[in-house]
Amino acid sequence: MLATASLYLARKYRAHLERQCVLHPNDPIALTYLARELHRSGRLIEAKEAIEEAWKLRSSGLDSRTGPKLDWISTATLRAFMLLSEQRHSDALQTVASCQRVGRPHPNLFLLEASALEQMGDEPSLERAGVAIEKCLSLHGCLLYTSDAADE
């Protein structure tokens, strides 16, 4: 019975996100959450379409003066994860790098970078993966802010 209730709630949540994306097609946050829910339910092609659209919207709005917010990092995290599941290491690294260039360090990005490098398997990539893991672990206990108030 609990599993049935969980499935019902997941479908209801996904339907809500789908409506949100119809009403606000340029909302990368809603598209990111929709992609996550589609991926969870096994609808991988639709999930890929949603995350790519969210990424396109996010990338066009990236401001190097303010850097990515955590909601932007969610989009980059999910996109890199999905690319890695397709063995698209270079594209995953490019996603991570574009977010790292302008923003505050985030453990998700370092972990995904390390995963892509490890999967590549050559010696230089494995060495770089070790550095990325160390950077990820160095952020243990750090506060991650969602606004520019953290800079003040």
Side-chain angles (χ1 to χ4, degrees):
M1 186 153 118
L2 184 59
T4 304
S6 293
L7 287 173
Y8 170 76
L9 290 174
R11 281 191 213 114
K12 188 173 179 176
Y13 181 54
R14 190 173 59 242
H16 171 74
L17 288 168
E18 288 169 344
R19 279 192 304 275
Q20 179 71 10
C21 290
V22 168
L23 293 172
H24 305 281
N26 294 324
D27 181 351
I29 297 170
L31 282 164
T32 297
Y33 283 107
L34 177 60
R36 185 183 70 187
E37 292 306 311
L38 290 167
H39 191 271
R40 284 182 182 176
S41 65
R43 295 167 59 184
L44 303 181
I45 293 171
E46 294 168 274
K48 183 178 176 179
E49 291 169 358
I51 200 62
E52 290 302 324
E53 183 61 25
W55 180 253
K56 184 175 76 173
L57 291 166
R58 282 287 183 213
S59 296
S60 67
L62 184 61
D63 184 339
S64 63
R65 289 168 287 150
T66 60
K69 303 292 184 242
L70 289 181
D71 57 358
W72 203 91
I73 290 171
S74 297
T75 304
T77 297
L78 183 57
R79 183 175 192 258
F81 173 80
M82 291 172 70
L83 290 167
L84 285 175
S85 69
E86 298 174 355
Q87 304 297 306
R88 293 175 55 192
H89 310 113
S90 295
D91 292 333
L93 288 170
Q94 190 174 41
T95 298
V96 167
S98 65
C99 200
Q100 287 175 329
R101 270 195 298 274
V102 295
R104 295 179 188 98
H106 195 281
N108 290 7
L109 300 176
F110 290 123
L111 185 60
L112 287 160
E113 177 185 10
S115 181
L117 291 165
E118 184 270 333
Q119 289 178 24
M120 292 170 74
D122 59 273
E123 191 169 332
S125 294
L126 293 174
E127 289 175 12
R128 288 175 48 211
V131 171
I133 288 290
E134 288 175 7
K135 289 178 182 178
C136 175
L137 294 174
S138 74
L139 295 175
H140 173 72
C142 293
L143 293 177
L144 303 172
Y145 295 94
T146 59
S147 73
D148 291 329
D151 295 330
E152 297 173 358

